């Protein structure tokens, strides 16, 4: 059975799956149109905190992809929802106007001079040492430390640029406090994405990054499809949750009768954030 017929709900990462920069990826527009025709549930999940749900929906529609605001799950919006749910009233936001706007829509008062309930880390190329120092002191005084994501870099024409994770790390090492992380691979965005669907619906995640999209889906108990070239090398351990259930070159493969997906196993233990290769030595000795 083709993958498109096997699931009720399709969760899409955006950058590298649906579009790259200003252009849609090959087969993305047509494949999404075909899923709509089959009346499938569709959600778009992006870790990018420098956008709003409305802007993302508009961007997709500009590319010829049907999308409503309710179908967009950004780390900025989910962060704002989290703050509101946790009864956080004031926040210092290290991030751009889009993240601040989503927080304000959720009723959060953005402050930068007084003590706040939370420090929220997004991304802004104007973030200064002064801002980091201020945020660190607020965290030291008890503000909840919240990260929109912990992505290490993002691609630019000049090469990889430090991303949200770089700012988070500066605060983590200087305060010795661990952040609460909203974005993939953590569960918040997956929970929001599935909220409107019946618990018995079969969902699948489609992404291009093993350590966010694939790991996050598997931790949430959802099978995961990796969009990648033929040169993807699986992680050595078959139980490594970053390994996808199937690798496909583009979204058209969802409609290929010859491409199957093996059901994933719900993890029974929590997976460490950082997995490092190790070497063990065993010495055999007569004694
Ligand atoms: Mg991506």
């Amino acid at each position: 059975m083709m993958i498109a017929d096997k699931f009720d709900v399709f969760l899409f990462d955006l950058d590298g799956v649906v579009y790259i920069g200003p252009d849609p990826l090959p087969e993305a527009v047509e494949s999404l149109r075909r899923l709509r025709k089959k009346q499938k549930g569709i959600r778009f999940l992006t870790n990018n905190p420098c956008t709003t749900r409305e802007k993302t929906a508009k961007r997709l529609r500009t590319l010829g992809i049907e999308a409503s605001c309710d179908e967009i799950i950004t780390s900025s919006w989910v962060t704002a929802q989290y703050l509101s749910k946790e009864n956080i009233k004031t926040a210092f936001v290290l991030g751009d106007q889009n993240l601040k706007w989503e927080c304000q829509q959720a009723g959060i008062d953005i402050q930068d001079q007084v003590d706040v309930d939370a420090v929220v880390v997004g991304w802004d190329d104007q973030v200064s040492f002064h801002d980091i120092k201020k945020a660190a002191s607020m965290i030291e005084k008890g503000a909840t430390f919240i990260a929109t994501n912990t992505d290490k870099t993002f691609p630019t024409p000049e090469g990889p640029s430090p991303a949200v994770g770089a700012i988070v790390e500066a605060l983590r090492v200087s305060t010795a406090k661990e952040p609460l992380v909203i974005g993939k691979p953590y569960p918040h965005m997956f929970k929001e994405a599935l909220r409107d669907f019946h618990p018995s619906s079969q969902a699948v995640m489609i992404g291009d990054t093993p350590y966010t999209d694939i790991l996050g889906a598997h931790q949430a108990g959802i099978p995961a499809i990796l969009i990648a070239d033929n040169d993807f090398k699986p992680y050595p351990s078959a139980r490594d949750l970053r390994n996808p259930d199937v690798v496909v070159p583009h979204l058209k493969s969802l409609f290929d009768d010859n491409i199957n997906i093996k059901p994933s196993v719900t993890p029974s233990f929590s997976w460490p954030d950082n997995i490092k290769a190790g070497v063990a030595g065993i010495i055999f000795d007569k004694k």
Side-chain angles (χ1 to χ4, degrees), residues 13 15 208-209 213:
D13 172 47
D15 277 291
D208 69 325
T209 308
D213 303 321

Side-chain angles (χ1 to χ4, degrees), residues 2-281:
M2 67 170 77
I3 293 171
D5 286 335
K6 214 165 176 174
F7 297 96
D8 314 308
V9 178
F10 292 77
L11 311 180
F12 288 92
D13 172 47
L14 284 172
D15 277 291
V17 172
V18 175
Y19 52 61
I20 280 191
D23 304 312
L25 276 151
E27 313 293 349
V29 177
E30 175 63 11
S31 300
L32 278 155
R33 198 188 57 78
R34 288 175 74 180
L35 287 176
R36 292 278 183 202
K37 223 170 150 191
K38 287 176 179 285
Q39 317 243 311
K40 299 297 181 180
I42 292 176
R43 293 291 182 272
F44 301 98
L45 287 75
T46 177
N47 265 3
N48 182 1
C50 302
T51 185
T52 64
R53 286 202 301 169
E54 268 156 51
K55 283 184 185 172
T56 307
K58 211 166 154 190
R59 180 173 176 190
L60 286 166
R61 290 196 295 266
T62 308
L63 298 176
I65 295 165
E66 187 188 328
S68 73
C69 202
D70 298 340
E71 295 171 326
I72 312 287
I73 317 289
T74 65
S75 68
S76 56
W77 179 71
V78 179
T79 298
Q81 299 311 300
Y82 179 85
L83 296 176
S84 155
K85 208 169 56 205
E86 291 296 306
N87 214 16
I88 285 168
K89 305 270 188 244
T90 56
F92 178 51
V93 177
L94 284 169
D96 78 347
Q97 288 311 314
N98 295 297
L99 176 57
K100 288 178 182 164
W101 187 86
E102 287 287 19
C103 290
Q104 280 162 341
Q105 292 303 110
I108 312 301
D109 188 8
I110 312 273
Q111 295 278 354
D112 65 354
Q113 296 305 329
V114 294
D115 290 344
V116 290
D117 298 332
V119 166
V120 176
V121 186
W123 193 87
D124 183 1
D125 61 4
Q126 299 298 309
V127 165
S128 67
F129 180 77
H130 182 73
D131 295 325
I132 289 171
K133 194 174 162 189
K134 198 189 284 179
S137 118
M138 288 168 170
I139 293 167
E140 292 288 0
K141 283 187 203 154
T144 309
F145 178 16
I146 296 170
T148 53
N149 70 58
T150 47
D151 294 0
K152 298 171 184 77
T153 60
F154 63 85
T156 74
E158 302 89 50
S161 162
V164 176
I167 305 172
V168 171
E169 203 61 17
L171 289 169
R172 202 177 69 83
V173 295
S174 58
T175 61
K177 297 242 164 71
E178 292 298 324
L180 181 127
V181 188
I182 301 293
K184 296 172 284 183
Y186 293 85
H188 306 272
M189 287 176 56
F190 292 94
K191 277 185 192 153
E192 279 294 341
L194 295 174
R195 211 168 44 145
D196 299 335
F197 298 104
H198 192 272
S200 67
S201 317
Q202 297 293 311
V204 66
M205 174 76 198
I206 302 138
D208 69 325
T209 308
Y211 77 85
T212 54
D213 303 321
I214 309 301
L215 173 61
H218 283 159
Q219 287 187 139
I222 300 167
I225 301 169
L226 184 74
I227 301 277
D229 303 330
N230 293 331
D231 59 3
F232 170 74
K233 292 201 177 49
Y235 296 94
S237 162
R239 295 179 70 197
D240 191 317
L241 297 184
R242 294 171 298 179
N243 279 326
D245 299 290
V246 65
V247 183
V248 299
H250 48 61
L251 294 180
K252 197 180 179 181
S253 309
L254 301 180
F255 304 91
D256 188 330
D257 281 316
N258 298 314
I259 298 179
N260 288 310
I261 181 166
K262 288 171 291 166
S264 90
V265 179
T266 306
S268 53
F269 54 92
S270 68
W271 199 249
D273 289 348
N274 295 301
I275 302 164
K276 291 189 179 108
V279 175

